[in-house]
Amino acid sequence: MTIVPRLAAQDLEHVARRYAVAVSPTLLSLMDPADPRDPIARQFLPSLAELNTLPQEIADPIGDGAHNPVPGIVHRHPGRVLFKAVAACPVYCRFCFRRESIGPGKDNALAPAAFEAALAYIAAHPEIREVILTGGDPFILAPRRMAEISGRLAAIPHVKIVRWHTRVPVTDPGRVTDELVAALHGAGATAWVAVHANHAREFGPDAARAIARLADGGIPLVSQSVLLKGVNDDVVSLAALMRAFVEHRIKPYYLHHPDLAPGTSHFRTAIAEGLALMAALRRTLSGLEMPAYMLDIPGGFGKVPLESDHLEMSENGIRVRDMTGAWHDYPEPDAPALIALDGRLKAGHGE
Ligand SMILES: *Cc1c(COP(=O)(O)O)cnc(C)c1O
Ligand code: SF4
């Protein structure tokens, strides 16, 4: 663990007793630890606010436990699974949604028997097209281990896509070596990488090199960010972040509303604020630069896009709302049938 200058040693000890703490030299070089409003410091330096847990905050905020057929696998949607191969990260984000289940002291990597059982589960379910490596941060694994995972997954005929979700390209970019990039390619499947970053300032020179190595290595890149109060909850910061992704060849994918993880209320904005920010972004950014604003519904109900207020259906037809807020009728002769379909979908009979 690196020294954390902003907190008195005693305070740090209180937080660290409860949640994992680690910061990398790369991140330290990008932050001003003495500035409480520094967007990098706020994400990684522990704060006493973390010891304030609200009643609605829960250990498993997105309900992974409800869809956990074997250790390491979360199977909520038929065509894709999460594969948590490791429960550690090189750094620990203070807002982490899995903060109760990850850390250096936890059972880090899946034990060999559990690893084989997870692969057997995927092999036994031909509907699984896509395997999403998450954790923890799977890029903390040794490239040799990553190559084994890629190869074993790609050898399963129905697995077409292996997607790695990682924060390492910005938090610990030195890990992204040519050997690591090679380890992502398994014969018979396509590798994708989702890069997690929350502020344009995370893209320092080392991160830029790491991301270029992935892109030059033939890996398609998408982004993943969390809307965080005091870090990126303003149009200027979010626009700069999305533009930085695109400049680094990363297609903006998801902007997550923060989950109800314990001791993270100081990071959460209201959903209405998030929607207003998205509307402002839509007036500013190109289509290429736009992410989708997502909420993982507490209790294991999955992710939904929050920005769907551009469409309204009624007996009289469909209305669409443009970027200025004006409503327009849309000629739709089958409106009653669509309303019935919408009702069925909302009642949960759609799938
Ligand atoms: C987020 C998540 C996925 C991936 O969702 P996409 O919308 O495909 O990015 C898959 N399974 C679970 C359980 C998830 O929480
Ligand atoms: S990298 Fe991801 S899993 Fe690791 S601490 Fe940050 S949010 Fe949590």
Side-chain angles (χ1 to χ4, degrees):
M1 191 179 78
T2 325
I3 308 128
V4 178
R6 193 168 56 141
L7 274 189
Q10 200 188 350
D11 292 351
L12 167 61
E13 222 181 282
H14 279 305
V15 179
R17 209 175 292 143
R18 182 75 176 80
Y19 301 109
V21 178
V23 188
S24 64
T26 300
L27 290 174
L28 277 177
S29 76
L30 296 173
M31 70 170 76
D32 174 2
D35 178 0
R37 289 174 23 188
D38 183 290
I40 316 262
R42 189 166 160 81
Q43 290 184 71
F44 298 103
L45 300 190
S47 144
L48 286 182
E50 293 174 50
L51 300 177
N52 173 31
T53 303
L54 302 186
Q56 68 269 33
E57 292 178 336
I58 37 188
D60 178 14
I62 67 171
D64 281 351
H67 304 273
N68 186 206
V70 294
I73 295 287
V74 183
H75 197 181
R76 183 182 292 138
H77 309 288
R80 57 207 198 275
V81 289
L82 303 186
F83 187 0
K84 301 181 193 175
V86 61
C89 304
V91 302
Y92 291 98
C93 312
R94 305 325 303 159
F95 52 85
C96 177
F97 66 128
R98 295 213 175 100
R99 58 192 333 210
E100 296 285 21
S101 56
I102 62 163
K106 315 275 174 186
D107 237 352
N108 259 334
L110 273 186
F115 179 76
E116 293 303 328
L119 282 170
Y121 179 87
I122 295 167
H125 288 78
E127 71 274 22
I128 299 171
R129 265 185 66 78
E130 182 171 353
V131 178
I132 299 161
L133 269 298
T134 175
D137 195 318
F139 273 31
I140 201 177
L141 295 167
R144 224 177 326 122
R145 181 69 172 155
M146 292 172 66
E148 188 197 351
I149 293 174
S150 300
R152 295 283 305 273
L153 287 172
I156 300 171
H158 52 267
V159 173
K160 305 296 183 199
I161 307 291
V162 178
R163 193 202 314 175
W164 300 75
H165 279 231
T166 178
R167 196 147 173 44
V168 157
V170 299
T171 57
D172 200 5
R175 287 178 183 271
V176 183
T177 57
D178 290 336
E179 196 190 353
L180 180 145
V181 176
L184 299 171
H185 293 289
T190 303
W192 282 66
V193 168
V195 177
H196 175 180
N198 303 315
H199 196 277
R201 272 188 33 205
E202 290 172 40
F203 296 85
D206 295 342
R209 264 191 299 278
I211 295 163
R213 190 163 275 156
L214 289 163
D216 292 345
I219 305 291
L221 303 170
V222 294
S223 80
Q224 197 184 8
S225 304
V226 186
L227 176 61
L228 296 168
K229 191 193 268 183
V231 173
N232 60 19
D233 63 332
D234 62 278
V235 183
V236 172
S237 298
L238 281 178
L241 172 63
M242 297 307 153
R243 287 179 168 148
F245 278 131
V246 173
E247 282 165 26
H248 288 90
R249 292 182 273 174
I250 301 170
K251 167 70 187 100
Y253 180 48
Y254 281 169
L255 174 65
H256 294 277
H257 192 75
D259 296 309
L260 295 172
T264 62
S265 60
H266 52 299
F267 283 116
R268 282 197 298 278
T269 65
I271 286 180
E273 288 172 67
L275 288 171
L277 284 168
M278 287 298 289
L281 283 181
R282 212 168 272 284
R283 289 191 290 270
T284 309
L285 297 180
S286 73
L288 189 59
E289 293 162 342
M290 276 303 289
Y293 178 37
M294 306 297 287
L295 177 72
D296 219 310
I297 304 172
F301 300 102
K303 287 190 256 321
V304 289
L306 285 171
E307 217 198 6
S308 46
D309 57 348
H310 282 278
L311 186 79
E312 206 177 77
M313 292 194 244
S314 74
E315 273 69 42
N316 305 323
I318 285 179
R319 297 199 314 155
V320 281
R321 204 179 58 128
D322 69 18
M323 301 307 168
T324 70
W327 287 95
H328 306 273
D329 290 320
Y330 182 80
E332 179 56 84
D334 292 331
L338 278 175
I339 292 163
L341 173 67
D342 187 47
R344 277 206 305 281
L345 290 174
K346 281 181 181 144
H349 306 307
E351 288 183 341

